[in-house]
């Protein structure tokens, strides 16, 4: 997911800067347009040079790919081979070469952070940066132990605080039947959505997200515990408690043996992507080509996906490992209709459009109930703190770009005290493509603060709503703004839709602090 940056977007020095005369671009050769790139990406051609294999990339390996015809770039911990994209880049080859063989995250954020690079370059994904293990010390042999953090990656700050200021610590204690680990984070706004726990084959991996950083505990437990674990968070004191049931009542002399990156604090963009095997529980039609899939996390896994965040799905398809991002939804838009058997921290609901020529979605469509695939930790840049005091929330969605909006609508109606209005402007081809149409209509009738406007590009003759595609005049008509309002706009859809929407919003006077572009 992409967050509109605090800097000007694009940056004043960028060749893609939007000005009153339009966006300045480097002239491209014939046959090198955005649509030409999309056709090439969908052609099945190997754009990575690795024949579909994903690898962990070391700093040395990344640095060696720094030439025009062999150019790898790292963005937020993921490495892309952009050699094939050179001639299609609107900013020119020279801009891409500035980050050749290096981490281009900062440069990307300065120039065009709002661009949906994950979608644009998904066929160029080489893998992720290899995470260097920390040098954390092993547990002591006491029944109750306290561990100090070892910084795995330096924190980029003008004045780096001492470890005493930023370091979480943990204790553990036991009874005859339980083992409890307590992590003290010093983060007062800590919620259960900040915690991801995996207990797999006797190894505990506990990750606590702390803003831009991620604290990791990773241990091979010294004795057996039952698969199920429970998590409690105390936001007032920034405390996380993880409880596990012993298999036997024997007294533990130590908690366990440290594994890779145990007791470390890492920047999220280098902390890697962790996957666990999840089971398909149900498939429910939403429209003629879109399904709602419910996946169940393993018994020893607990996490909730924050509003606006996505997960990655991974599976082996025809001999190639494919990884794709999707934004989870709830089982239903209306809370009172939620299935009582579904748990917030053990079930993942994904609304996925099935493309007949899409290798991954066709594979997902073929999965039978009980089949498994791998799902990652939550990730994304959106923070609900950005919208706490807004009065008007506008959501521009195209097709399955509706998925991040679904949770956001529910969150806003329940939690934003100053909210006066949420308006969803929903773009689709035909009426039969509108996701959760009945539920949206019901919510609009039931909740006076919620409005929805449908815009169809290929409507039937009977359609009485708006027709056409996204245009500045249309947005101007449906997005009213009073002097005493505080507005925020979220955008999600295909790459071209998002680019057009962001340009139009800028023309209408919205600044970057008022806009967030989700991954499409």
């Amino acid at each position: 997911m992409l967050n509109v940056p605090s800097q000007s977007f694009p940056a004043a020095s960028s060749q893609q800067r939007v000005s009153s005369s339009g966006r300045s671009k480097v002239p491209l050769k014939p046959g090198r347009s955005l649509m030409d790139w999309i056709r090439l990406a969908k052609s099945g051609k190997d754009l990575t040079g690795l024949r579909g294999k994903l690898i962990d990339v070391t700093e040395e390996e990344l640095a060696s790919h720094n030439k025009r015809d062999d150019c790898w770039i790292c963005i937020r911990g993921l490495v892309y081979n952009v050699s094939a994209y050179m001639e299609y880049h609107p900013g020119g080859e020279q801009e891409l070469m500035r980050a050749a063989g290096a981490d281009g995250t900062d440069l990307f954020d300065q120039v065009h952070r709002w661009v949906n690079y994950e979608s644009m370059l998904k066929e160029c994904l080489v893998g992720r940066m290899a995470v260097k293990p920390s040098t954390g010390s092993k547990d002591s042999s006491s029944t109750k132990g306290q561990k100090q953090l070892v910084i795995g990656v330096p924190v980029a700050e003008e004045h780096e605080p001492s470890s005493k200021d930023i370091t979480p610590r943990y204790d553990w204690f036991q009874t005859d039947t339980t083992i409890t680990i307590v992590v003290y984070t010093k983060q007062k706004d800590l919620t259960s959505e900040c915690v991801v726990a995996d207990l797999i084959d006797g190894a505990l991996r506990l990750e606590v997200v702390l803003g831009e950083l991620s604290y990791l505990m990773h241990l091979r437990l010294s004795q057996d515990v039952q698969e199920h674990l429970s998590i409690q968070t105390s936001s007032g004191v920034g405390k996380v408690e993880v409880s596990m049931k012993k298999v036997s009542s024997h007294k533990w002399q130590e908690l366990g043996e440290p594994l890779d990156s145990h007791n470390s604090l890492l920047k999220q963009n280098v902390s890697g992507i962790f996957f666990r095997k999840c089971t398909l529980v149900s498939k429910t039609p939403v429209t003629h080509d879109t399904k709602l899939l419910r996946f169940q996390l393993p018994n020893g896994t607990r996490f909730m996906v924050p509003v606006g965040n996505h997960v990655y799905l991974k599976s082996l398809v025809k001999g190639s490992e494919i990884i794709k991002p999707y934004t989870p939804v709830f089982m239903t838009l209306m809370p009172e209709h939620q299935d009582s058997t579904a748990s917030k921290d053990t079930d993942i609901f994904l609304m996925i459009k099935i493309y007949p020529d899409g290798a991954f979605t066709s594979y997902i469509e073929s999965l039978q109930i009980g089949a498994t695939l791998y799902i990652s930790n939550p990730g994304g840049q959106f923070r609900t703190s950005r919208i706490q005091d807004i009065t008007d929330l506008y959501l521009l969605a195209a097709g399955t770009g509706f998925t991040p909006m679904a949770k956001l609508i529910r969150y806003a109606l329940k939690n934003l005290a100053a909210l006066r209005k949420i308006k969803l402007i929903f773009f689709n081809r035909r009426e039969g493509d509108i996701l959760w149409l009945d539920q949206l209509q019901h919510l609009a009738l039931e909740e006076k603060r919620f409005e929805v406007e449908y815009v169809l590009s290929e409507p039937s003759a009977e359609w009485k709503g708006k027709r056409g595609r996204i245009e500045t005049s249309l947005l101007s008509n449906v997005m009213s703004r009073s002097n005493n309002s505080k507005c925020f706009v979220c955008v999600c859809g295909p790459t071209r839709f998002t680019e057009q929407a962001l340009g139009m919003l800028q023309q209408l006077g919205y600044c970057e602090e008022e806009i967030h572009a989700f991954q499409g």
Side-chain angles (χ1 to χ4, degrees):
M1 147 190 345
L2 301 181
N3 179 24
V4 178
S6 57
Q7 304 96 340
S8 299
F9 74 104
S13 59
S14 170
Q15 293 174 303
Q16 300 189 52
R17 176 70 177 167
V18 177
S19 64
S20 57
S21 58
R23 194 198 305 180
S24 175
K25 298 183 180 180
V26 173
L28 298 175
K29 298 177 183 178
R32 296 297 184 270
S33 68
L34 172 62
M35 293 309 298
D36 291 316
W37 170 251
I38 292 173
R39 279 192 285 271
L40 175 62
K42 290 184 175 181
S43 68
K45 184 177 180 180
D46 178 18
L47 301 182
T48 66
L50 299 176
R51 297 182 179 179
K53 181 182 178 183
L54 293 177
I55 63 173
D56 286 342
V57 183
T58 63
E59 292 181 4
E60 294 75 17
E61 174 75 4
L62 176 63
S64 70
H65 297 274
N66 60 358
K67 301 177 181 62
R68 159 66 183 80
D69 58 351
D70 181 21
C71 182
W72 291 11
I73 291 175
C74 174
I75 304 177
R76 292 188 175 85
L78 297 179
V79 180
Y80 300 89
N81 183 347
V82 298
S83 309
Y85 184 59
M86 285 286 180
E87 294 185 346
Y88 297 84
H89 184 230
E93 297 178 11
Q94 186 176 357
E95 283 289 298
L96 285 180
M97 288 302 298
R98 290 171 64 191
D103 189 329
T105 305
D106 290 343
L107 179 62
F108 176 84
D109 287 348
Q110 291 169 14
V111 178
H112 42 31
R113 185 172 180 171
W114 52 277
V115 171
N116 189 341
Y117 69 93
E118 289 181 296
S119 176
M120 185 79 72
L121 301 176
K122 61 186 178 182
E123 302 303 332
C124 302
L125 181 64
V126 169
R128 64 183 181 186
M129 290 300 295
V131 180
K132 294 180 178 179
S134 73
T135 57
S137 59
K138 291 187 178 183
D139 289 332
S140 64
S141 59
S142 62
T143 301
K144 182 178 180 181
Q146 179 174 304
K147 305 295 161 244
Q148 291 301 315
L149 172 73
V150 176
I151 302 296
V153 175
V155 183
E157 296 189 16
E158 185 177 352
H159 299 290
E160 189 169 304
S162 68
S163 60
K164 189 183 300 182
D165 296 327
I166 64 173
T167 302
R169 62 182 179 85
Y170 73 86
D171 292 341
W172 67 280
F173 58 89
Q174 62 182 305
T175 67
D176 287 343
T177 58
T178 63
I179 293 289
T180 300
I181 299 171
V182 184
V183 180
Y184 302 93
T185 69
K186 304 179 184 179
Q187 181 159 311
K188 297 298 178 65
D189 58 348
L190 189 74
T191 67
S192 55
E193 292 181 340
C194 299
V195 184
V196 180
D198 288 276
L199 179 60
I200 301 175
D201 296 331
L204 174 66
R205 188 182 191 279
L206 177 66
E207 184 173 349
V208 185
V209 178
L210 306 170
E212 297 298 319
L213 302 174
S214 181
Y215 173 66
L216 181 66
M217 286 184 63
H218 195 194
L219 291 160
R220 172 75 58 189
L221 298 176
S222 63
Q223 296 189 40
D224 291 338
V225 294
Q226 296 180 19
E227 276 189 302
H228 180 84
L229 54 77
S230 63
I231 299 174
Q232 289 186 329
T233 57
S234 301
S235 58
V237 294
K239 183 174 70 173
V240 179
E241 289 190 20
V242 180
S243 296
M244 298 167 286
K245 292 183 178 181
K246 294 179 176 179
V247 171
S248 69
S249 60
H250 294 142
K251 183 178 180 180
W252 290 26
Q253 297 304 314
E254 61 180 7
L255 182 57
E257 178 185 355
L259 298 174
D260 288 350
S261 302
H262 170 62
N263 203 31
S264 62
L265 190 66
L266 303 172
K267 282 187 175 180
Q268 281 197 65
N269 63 350
V270 295
S271 61
I273 303 175
F274 184 79
F275 290 87
R276 75 280 299 153
K277 187 183 289 186
C278 301
T279 303
L280 178 62
V281 176
S282 65
K283 283 197 289 188
T284 307
V286 178
T287 67
H288 62 98
D289 61 0
T290 303
K291 301 287 179 66
L292 182 68
L293 289 83
R294 175 181 172 183
F295 287 93
Q296 193 169 72
L297 300 175
N299 289 335
T301 296
R302 293 289 182 275
F303 70 77
M304 289 189 284
V305 181
V307 172
N309 277 216
H310 59 270
V311 295
Y312 288 94
L313 303 190
K314 180 177 76 169
S315 193
L316 196 65
V317 180
K318 296 181 179 178
S320 297
E321 187 177 74
I322 299 180
I323 299 177
K324 301 288 184 183
Y326 292 95
T327 303
V329 297
F330 290 121
M331 186 176 183
T332 175
L333 190 64
M334 308 299 292
E336 63 270 24
H337 298 158
Q338 187 74 32
D339 186 343
S340 60
T341 65
S343 171
K344 288 183 179 180
D345 63 354
T346 62
D347 291 274
I348 302 290
F349 291 92
L350 299 169
M351 194 178 288
I352 298 178
K353 182 175 181 178
I354 308 300
Y355 295 91
D357 56 348
F360 196 53
T361 60
S362 295
Y363 169 78
I364 290 176
E365 171 70 352
S366 71
L367 292 178
Q368 301 298 310
I369 303 303
T372 60
L373 54 68
Y374 289 88
I375 297 181
S376 76
N377 287 8
Q381 302 297 315
F382 182 74
R383 299 291 180 266
T384 55
S385 57
R386 298 185 66 195
I387 60 174
Q388 289 306 310
D389 58 349
I390 64 168
T391 60
D392 295 26
L393 178 60
Y394 290 103
L395 310 175
L396 309 183
T400 51
F402 167 72
T403 54
M405 311 305 184
K407 275 191 175 182
L408 183 53
I409 289 169
R410 283 178 53 165
Y411 174 85
L413 290 173
K414 183 178 179 180
N415 297 284
L416 303 187
L419 186 71
R420 296 195 297 242
K421 177 174 65 178
I422 303 177
K423 188 161 189 177
L424 170 66
I425 302 98
F426 200 177
F427 296 83
N428 287 278
R429 292 178 63 191
R430 305 180 184 91
E431 186 173 0
D433 298 324
I434 301 174
L435 303 173
W436 278 353
L437 174 60
D438 291 342
Q439 295 190 49
L440 288 169
Q441 296 288 73
H442 181 70
L443 182 60
L445 291 172
E446 198 173 78
E447 173 56 67
K448 64 180 181 180
R449 292 176 296 169
F450 177 73
E451 302 176 30
V452 58
E453 191 86 60
Y454 307 104
V455 184
L456 302 185
S457 60
E458 300 176 13
S460 65
E462 294 77 26
W463 176 251
K464 293 181 170 50
K466 285 188 165 44
R467 300 165 179 254
R469 302 178 184 274
I470 188 168
E471 296 178 353
T472 306
S473 59
L474 184 151
L475 296 185
S476 178
N477 290 333
V478 298
M479 297 172 65
S480 59
R481 188 170 190 170
S482 60
N483 293 331
N484 64 345
S485 63
K486 185 167 184 180
C487 298
F488 196 86
V489 187
C490 292
V491 181
C492 190
T495 302
R496 182 168 177 77
F497 172 86
T498 300
E499 287 189 340
Q500 290 177 327
L502 292 173
M504 294 171 188
L505 290 171
Q506 190 179 40
Q507 292 176 28
L508 293 173
Y510 290 90
C511 63
E512 61 267 28
E513 290 83 6
E514 299 174 310
I515 305 171
H516 184 93
F518 291 107
Q519 172 180 299

